[in-house]
Amino acid sequence: MGVRRKMALRFDLIIFTILLFASPVLSDLILSKVDRRIDLTSQIVRITSTLKVENEGSEPVSEVLLAFPDLQVKDLALLKASPHEGKGKVKSLSASLPVENVKPNGMPAALTFYAVKLPKALGKGDSYTFDVLAVFAHALRPFPEKITQADIQLVVFQESAFYLTPYVVKVQSLSVKLPESRIESYTKLENTKIHGSEIKYGPYENLPSFSYSPIVVHFESNQPFAVAQEVVREIEISHWGNVQVTEHYKLVHGGAQNKGEFSRLDYQARPTIRGASAFKYLIAKMPPRVHSVYYRDEIGNISTSNLWGDSKKTELLIEPRYPLFGGWRTAFTIGYGLPLKDFLFELEGNRFLNITFGSPMNELVIDNLIVKVVLPEGSGDISVSAPFPVNQWEETKLSHLDLTGRPVVVLQKTNVVPEHNQFFQVYYKFSKLSMLREPFMLIFGFFSLFVAGIVYMHVDMSISKSSAAYLARLQWDEVSMMCWVKLQSSMKIYTLD
């Protein structure tokens, strides 16, 4: 079955390659140098490409096209372009180049294209170097798909040794970084070298446009395949000094599914052998000065968690009630409070919340992320600024002491990876007088309660003085008074004796 699957996979790639060779050359741009680095050390695939483009034509060019197969685009979580600042240098988010989806004429239907806007148009003979980061979720396929508790996890990754592009490439190279040095198999081409856990292809020279050479790497990867099918983050703002964050997780192990029986004894005795592909904890990196942290599941509070931090960061290590093997699921909730002054600011009469979008969990893939920002009652003129496209709508939440409800901004995104954990802003207007609404409601409520008590104690609530209830009450008062008088008389006699 495995051999047939690989043969079918390679056959599809060969057919795809034949179709690509019929594609036309796009423009007079060429890629004088391409250096690609593929990181497969976790379940999230990150491909960094350094491209040096040159204009050999007479017309200025202001954008460069990037091509991806449609089968690969469905797993594409993030695509980012930025100026190349040299190896080892940190790039600022403000230096990112605009990237948008385009549909150029005459291109293969099996490809999806994105256009990178250059800072300035390239004239004849000009060149420019920039980096492209493509992050993919679910790009690694477990093979075999089912394993026992004692088996290691093997995964398959497929790519092209040649950079898929509508431009001619002068020189290019590719390096594939793996988590372990154990490699079951990999495609061997000309100029292929392996150094420990890294496979290098190239350099290759003078490649025509849309060159494609399929490669398949089958390797060991026992890293946690933590996949959240859904995460709901609720961020509630209180102008009395706190931001409360509550996160609900539906988690599944997205690796090779576990088959056969599970032995707790074998796992505890040799967890690295009898559970190499399982994971039993997650680490969440939270902002500094976090407080009131809790972690619970559907049953109740879970005490198997550790929290530590300093002035720069706070880390929470949480453990589910059982280790997660392939296909196993769990659900839990974490919550924490943050100082309001660290995340809420004022600008030109408007207030805005500046907080991170994604989950604080390390190397977590989220299939569907819903972020709800609950604003104070009375907020208006609401707008959102996010660093990437999101679905957006508004709701209303009724809470304690609310009259009309609190406005809720809802943001939704699929295929979320740690690179999406960037700051976004929610702008709104809020009158300071509205902060007095709840205190006045509390004062008025207590005052009304006391007044009602006083009235109840001093007002005769009977309907009529001739009613049976009123007459019975008078008789009871008379009997009570007579009993009291007799009791006092007996007490005096006893004292004289």
Side-chain angles (χ1 to χ4, degrees), residues 1-10 143:
M1 183 66 182
V3 176
R4 291 181 181 177
R5 182 177 176 181
K6 285 188 177 181
M7 291 179 62
L9 184 63
R10 295 185 181 184
F143 189 76

Side-chain angles (χ1 to χ4, degrees), residues 94-112:
S94 60
S96 298
L97 303 176
V99 180
E100 64 178 0
N101 181 251
V102 294
K103 295 182 179 179
N105 296 327
M107 292 295 104
L111 294 180
T112 300

Side-chain angles (χ1 to χ4, degrees), residues 105-154:
N105 296 327
M107 292 295 104
L111 294 180
T112 300
F113 288 87
Y114 296 89
V116 178
K117 301 292 183 180
L118 301 178
K120 62 178 181 179
L122 298 180
K124 183 177 181 180
D126 293 339
S127 64
Y128 183 76
T129 304
F130 63 97
D131 294 332
V132 176
L133 173 63
V135 183
F136 298 90
H138 308 296
L140 297 181
R141 305 289 187 260
F143 189 76
E145 296 180 352
K146 294 183 179 181
I147 60 176
T148 64
Q149 181 180 349
D151 294 335
I152 62 174
Q153 181 174 261
L154 299 175

